[in-house]
Amino acid sequence: MTQLEIFLRDHGLWAVLAAAAIEGDLTLVLTGMMVHHGIWPAYEALAAGAGGAILGDCAYFWLGHSAASRWFRSLHARKVIHLEQEYSRSHGWKSIFISRYVYGARMATMVYWGSRKLPWERFVPLDVRSEEHTSELQSHHDLVCRL
C-alpha cells in the first residue's frame, strides 16, 4: 500500500477532498479503487474528489492572480512558463479543460490563467464544467472496467 493510499483509508473522504486539491490525478485513481472495493459510496467519493479538485484549482488561480509576478521570477517558472504560454495561446480558455488530461499541467494552467487576470466569474464556471466533464468520463470508465 502506498502512503497516499494509507492516508486516504485512514482519514476518509476528508482526505480525498484535501488530496484532490493538491494531487488530483493519483488521488482520484486511488479513490476509484476504494469505491470499487466498497470502502466508500461512489457518489460521496465523487463529490469529495470533484470538490477538492475545484478548491485546489481556485487556490492555484488565486495564487496566479495575487503572486504571479514573484513566481514568474523564479527559476522553476522560467523553465515552465513558456510552455504554458504556448499551450494556452494555441488552445485559449479550452486549456482549462485540456489540462485535466495532461499530467502536471493542471496547476500551471490555473496559475497562468490567474496571472492573466481572467475574471473569477468566468474562471469558476469553466473550471466547474471541466471537473464535471472529467468526473463523467471517469465514472463511465469505471463502469466499463467493471464489465
Side-chain angles (χ1 to χ4, degrees):
M1 238 193 256
T2 67
Q3 288 182 344
L4 180 59
E5 194 173 356
I6 293 167
F7 176 74
L8 293 175
R9 185 182 290 267
D10 289 348
H11 299 288
L13 292 173
W14 287 107
V16 173
L17 184 92
I22 298 166
E23 172 47 66
D25 302 330
L26 184 57
T27 301
L28 297 178
V29 169
L30 291 174
T31 300
M33 282 180 19
M34 294 198 182
V35 167
H36 181 73
H37 290 292
I39 295 170
W40 294 322
Y43 289 107
E44 291 176 18
L46 184 63
I54 291 168
L55 288 173
D57 291 350
C58 288
Y60 292 118
F61 182 82
W62 173 81
L63 188 66
H65 238 300
S66 61
S69 62
R70 284 182 296 213
W71 184 74
F72 288 150
R73 289 191 296 263
S74 74
L75 179 61
H76 176 69
R78 281 182 263 161
K79 291 179 180 179
V80 173
I81 197 61
H82 73 279
L83 296 172
E84 184 57 41
Q85 286 173 335
E86 292 286 324
Y87 176 72
S88 294
R89 277 191 199 123
S90 62
H91 299 291
W93 59 267
K94 294 178 212 155
S95 65
I96 294 172
F97 286 82
I98 298 167
S99 70
R100 299 225 181 256
Y101 305 102
V102 179
Y103 187 76
R106 191 180 120 226
M107 291 178 207
T109 300
M110 304 313 157
V111 169
Y112 174 78
W113 282 108
S115 73
R116 302 293 297 163
K117 305 298 185 203
L118 180 69
W120 280 97
E121 310 79 53
R122 182 144 165 81
F123 170 75
V124 172
L126 287 172
D127 191 50
V128 168
R129 183 61 195 130
S130 171
E131 182 55 40
E132 286 173 351
H133 186 263
T134 303
S135 297
E136 288 171 15
L137 284 176
Q138 288 174 340
S139 298
H140 293 302
H141 179 264
D142 184 50
L143 289 174
V144 169
C145 289
R146 287 183 186 188
L147 297 176

